[in-house]
Amino acid sequence: MLRISNTVIGILNAMFLLLGLASIGASIYFHLHGGTMCQKVLQNPLLFAGLVFVVVSLLGLAGSCCKLNSLLYTYLVLIFLLILGFIALTVFALFVTNKGIGQAVSGRGYKEYKVGDFSHWLQHYVVNGKNWEPIKSCLVDAQVCKSLGGDVHQTQADFYRKNLSPIQSGCCKPPSYCGYEFKNATYWAIPKSGPKEPDTDCLTWSNKQNRLCYDCKSCKGGILANIRKQWRSLTILNCCILVLLTLVYCVGCCATKNNRFSTYNNSKFRGP
């Protein structure tokens, strides 16, 4: 194990270096070529993650190839901090996603979501006024509702049986309690007597395809439901990364021990 530890550290960090350079390259590409709002949101996180990967991997490569324990010690400290960071992120993700279950609607194949069903942190920091505009622009750019309105022969019964995603359910149609009349998936007529419920979402709905229910609370609820699902999946990925980082940390410790052993043997061989 001691003999191959430097080689393993070198191979792993070469892979991390390539990943970091790819992240930096993607961030620069989005910056130079503009891109959609969704892509612009990714610029800074990609750049930051790429720089971290590059710095850490270069330390690991230099320490393992040149057998410099001073660099390897710095590398191990950074890996240990990353392990602590991923543990904290996993616990935090589980904590803020412990609420938020969709409400089943009678006779529908989909659920509807309310902002108040989710944790206060998600409500305050994700769908507040400042952050919602970029999210809404991203939804419009991605045309998340376009696929629903493509079938002109779809009947109301067919639509009600659809298994809509949380975002489609919240952003592409008015809430069921409004009592609007189905014309097609993204076009609903207001009854002559007005909405059944005096709710702001019923008044916010628009048949304009670039507005729909993107400003509705139900849309924000759909976004939070999607985030909750993704963050739950992210915790599984985080656990896999934690296992990998722990393995790298252990191999790095073996590499430092191997370097000390080699240095001791060389000095003993050369003599005083």
Side-chain angles (χ1 to χ4, degrees), residues 5-188:
S5 55
N6 281 342
T7 303
V8 174
I9 283 292
I11 293 173
L12 289 174
N13 283 284
M15 294 169 58
F16 289 149
L17 179 61
L18 292 176
L19 182 61
L21 291 175
S23 296
I24 293 174
S27 177
I28 294 174
Y29 177 83
F30 291 149
H31 178 74
L32 294 178
H33 293 80
T36 64
M37 182 61 70
C38 299
Q39 293 171 338
K40 290 179 180 178
V41 170
L42 294 175
Q43 284 181 16
N44 292 335
L46 280 174
L47 180 61
F48 177 76
L51 289 174
V52 170
F53 274 115
V54 168
V55 171
V56 173
S57 59
L58 286 177
L59 284 173
L61 281 172
S64 60
C65 295
C66 302
K67 296 184 178 181
L68 297 175
N69 269 3
S70 57
L71 292 180
L72 277 180
Y73 286 138
T74 305
Y75 170 78
L76 289 176
V77 169
L78 291 176
I79 291 293
F80 183 72
L81 292 176
L82 283 175
I83 291 173
L84 293 180
F86 271 98
I87 291 175
L89 179 62
T90 302
V91 173
F92 175 75
L94 289 173
F95 177 75
V96 299
T97 58
N98 64 342
K99 295 181 180 180
I101 300 176
Q103 300 175 351
V105 182
S106 177
R108 307 289 195 273
Y110 50 81
K111 294 182 179 180
E112 294 186 342
Y113 303 85
K114 293 183 178 180
V115 176
D117 294 336
F118 296 88
S119 67
H120 293 295
W121 188 91
L122 286 176
Q123 294 179 45
H124 183 69
Y125 289 101
V126 178
V127 294
N128 59 16
K130 178 182 178 181
N131 295 329
W132 182 246
E133 285 303 317
I135 294 175
K136 185 175 70 172
S137 298
C138 183
L139 293 174
V140 174
D141 289 340
Q143 297 182 329
V144 295
C145 301
K146 186 176 181 180
S147 60
L148 291 180
D151 187 0
V152 295
H153 302 294
Q154 181 177 236
T155 65
Q156 178 175 310
D158 293 334
F159 178 78
Y160 285 164
R161 285 194 296 266
K162 277 184 172 291
N163 183 21
L164 303 180
S165 69
I167 294 178
Q168 290 175 330
S169 174
C171 305
C172 304
K173 64 171 189 61
S176 299
Y177 54 75
C178 295
Y180 285 3
E181 298 173 3
F182 176 89
K183 297 300 180 182
N184 66 44
T186 57
Y187 191 93
W188 298 71

Side-chain angles (χ1 to χ4, degrees), residues 206-217:
S206 171
N207 285 313
K208 293 181 179 179
Q209 297 303 296
N210 62 342
R211 291 181 59 186
L212 298 177
C213 218
Y214 292 133
D215 285 312
C216 297
K217 292 179 292 185

